[in-house]
Amino acid sequence: MIEAVLLALGVMILLIVLGTHIAVGLGLSAMLGVYLMMENFDIVLALLADTAYDAVRNYIFAVIPLFILMGDIVSRSGLAGDVYRLCNRMLIWLPGRLAVSTVLGNAIFAAVSGVSVAAAASFSRIAYPEMDKYQYNRKLALGSIAGSSVLGMLIPPSILLIVWAVMTEMSIGALFVAGVVPGLVLAAMFCGYCVLRALRSPGMAPNVRQDEVASSPDELRRELSGGVGVVVLVSLVLGGLWGGLFTPTEAAGIGVMGALVLGIIRGMKIPDIYQAVLHAGQTAAPIMLLLVAAQLYSRMLAMGGVVPELQHWVTAAELSPFLLILAMMGVWLVMGMFVDSVSIILLTIPVFAPMAQIAGFDALAFAIFGILVIEAGLLTPPFGLVCYTVKGAIPDPSVTLQEIFSAVLPYIAMVLVVAALVLVIPALATWLPAVAF
């Protein structure tokens, strides 16, 4: 059995290296593994059909496209810009306020988008021109945009947390709540870093006078209504979820309706709504296909007795929990340079989660640790997806990828520090779920 699983995993790695789509590689290798174990192709086809049917009809899977749609409506309606400008206006007294506003704007936008790439694209167009206008140091500006975009995958509702919950059969609500405190700690570290850079080198973030950000009464009302609208939407969705009023799927549906109301108030027309729905579908469809393939892959691992074998291997090897977690961390960081976050979770969690459980790590703390490390991989060269997104979205052709990668290095370090803190102090991830649930 184990030999069949190892051969299937080898085939999957080969297919991915050859450029095959992750979902295809996962699905074909899982089918091969089941065939080698059962020696009956009819069983393979029956398992594939059963897995696909279970995945498609599962009520919880609607969470992913709905939260993506909510974030897309908020982004297209211009509400993200209102949030940024409102934060900017409230922090006029703070050194490096534009960079800090970018971090806070990303944190708030994370609570409605759940996707780091969406945050990076939005704030590249909103925040960078503003910082460039006031002659901010370019590395400080680029770092605050790209670095803080990773908050979108930690602060709920996060697509990665949903996928992790589906793969490990954990509570989506509990994982959402577990990400709040580490997300706020990380956002505070980002803000503190921007302020310290501005204090140490004032020329990097020139002060802006109050009269330079003055706006007309109409603009002020627009910013205030947009910012308050987003806060109310976030409070409604997450408050209802944590308070037990909604299931995750119901919370996502109500979030879409709330975002749609805000978008219509802000002037969205039928073509804009259509484009938001189309884009959400285009984003969600590959994720859903990946989930079907990953569930087949997980069933193949279970049929092959991988978990008991892992338990025996970990016990026999006498690896310390530190070395085990260090090895997982290394795999995630390397994969993050080449593979998207959802695929990393689907490829590794069926193996890593049981190993972490055997080693005695808390499931919630390990999940948040994993999300943080995987997100750090999205910033690392040579193929950090977020950095490429910022490069493509920033309206300044003179910005280079090398500048962006250099600018995010301190943010990668801060993400890894918070990840380590979650492992050392699991209460950062477990305290709030224990209170809320």
Side-chain angles (χ1 to χ4, degrees):
M1 291 285 190
I2 292 297
E3 291 78 6
V5 171
L6 292 175
L7 180 59
L9 293 178
V11 170
M12 179 187 68
I13 293 170
L14 177 62
L15 289 171
I16 292 172
V17 169
L18 292 175
T20 306
H21 191 277
I22 301 290
V24 176
L26 270 173
L28 289 178
S29 62
M31 291 172 68
L32 173 63
V34 174
Y35 177 76
L36 292 174
M37 286 185 276
M38 299 291 107
E39 297 183 350
N40 187 324
F41 196 66
D42 289 336
I43 295 178
V44 176
L45 293 178
L47 185 63
L48 175 61
D50 181 62
T51 302
Y53 178 72
D54 284 346
V56 170
R57 74 184 180 91
N58 195 332
Y59 184 61
I60 200 66
F61 279 90
V63 171
I64 294 175
L66 286 173
F67 274 130
I68 291 174
L69 179 57
M70 182 176 75
D72 208 60
I73 292 173
V74 169
S75 178
R76 290 175 184 270
S77 65
L79 289 166
D82 289 338
V83 169
Y84 171 74
R85 286 184 287 272
L86 191 60
C87 291
N88 180 23
R89 190 177 303 282
M90 294 171 62
L91 298 174
I92 188 68
W93 49 273
L94 191 68
R97 65 174 179 85
L98 291 177
V100 175
S101 297
T102 301
V103 174
L104 293 179
N106 260 313
I108 296 172
F109 187 63
V112 291
S113 70
V115 183
S116 291
V117 171
S122 296
F123 282 87
S124 294
R125 301 185 187 99
I126 296 167
Y128 183 81
E130 194 75 6
M131 286 189 270
D132 185 52
K133 173 183 174 182
Y134 291 108
Q135 299 180 334
Y136 266 53
N137 175 272
R138 200 145 81 167
K139 286 182 69 173
L140 178 62
L142 294 170
S144 65
I145 293 168
S148 62
S149 67
V150 301
L151 295 169
M153 288 303 187
L154 186 60
I155 295 176
S158 160
I159 300 304
L160 291 191
L161 289 175
I162 296 170
V163 173
W164 191 295
V166 169
M167 292 302 297
T168 58
E169 297 184 355
M170 294 174 68
S171 164
I172 291 179
L175 269 179
F176 276 2
V177 178
V180 172
V181 174
L184 294 177
V185 170
L186 187 59
M189 289 182 67
F190 288 166
C191 291
Y193 170 77
C194 294
V195 172
L196 286 175
R197 290 293 300 272
L199 288 173
R200 290 187 60 184
S201 305
M204 297 184 71
N207 289 327
V208 183
R209 299 190 310 273
Q210 178 71 46
D211 61 333
E212 290 182 285
V213 294
S215 302
S216 68
D218 286 343
E219 289 175 326
L220 287 172
R221 280 194 295 270
R222 181 183 177 91
E223 291 171 15
L224 187 60
S225 63
V228 170
V230 170
V231 171
V232 170
L233 178 62
V234 171
S235 301
L236 175 66
V237 173
L238 299 185
L241 180 62
W242 301 344
L245 299 177
F246 315 136
T247 66
T249 308
E250 290 166 349
I254 289 170
V256 170
M257 293 303 298
L260 189 58
V261 169
L262 290 175
I264 292 172
I265 292 173
R266 290 298 306 274
M268 285 187 76
K269 305 298 183 185
I270 295 296
D272 302 317
I273 297 171
Y274 170 77
Q275 287 300 320
V277 173
L278 183 63
H279 184 264
Q282 291 170 339
T283 304
I287 297 175
M288 304 301 285
L289 180 60
L290 274 166
L291 283 170
V292 172
Q295 288 203 331
L296 183 62
Y297 165 70
S298 296
R299 290 187 179 190
M300 183 268 293
L301 294 180
M303 290 174 65
V306 170
V307 173
E309 189 67 25
L310 280 175
Q311 187 171 5
H312 173 73
W313 178 81
V314 172
T315 304
E318 297 182 350
L319 286 176
S320 69
F322 173 76
L323 289 178
L324 188 63
I325 210 73
L326 202 63
M328 294 181 191
M329 186 174 171
V331 170
W332 278 330
L333 286 174
V334 171
M335 290 184 72
M337 300 178 188
F338 306 98
V339 184
D340 68 276
S341 301
V342 173
S343 297
I344 293 173
I345 291 176
L346 298 179
L347 289 168
T348 61
I349 293 312
V351 177
F352 284 5
M355 291 175 70
Q357 185 178 5
I358 293 165
F361 291 103
D362 180 86
L364 284 174
F366 178 71
I368 300 305
F369 168 80
I371 296 297
L372 283 162
V373 175
I374 290 168
E375 280 300 285
L378 282 185
L379 298 172
T380 52
F383 299 113
L385 185 59
V386 165
C387 296
Y388 277 86
T389 301
V390 171
K391 173 68 175 78
I394 278 182
D396 184 353
S398 67
V399 172
T400 65
L401 272 172
Q402 183 178 358
E403 280 183 288
I404 301 173
F405 281 126
S406 175
V408 299
L409 291 177
Y411 292 86
I412 296 173
M414 287 184 276
V415 170
L416 295 179
V417 166
V418 175
L421 284 174
V422 169
L423 277 188
V424 175
I425 313 172
L428 287 173
T430 60
W431 170 74
L432 199 54
V435 173
F437 296 94

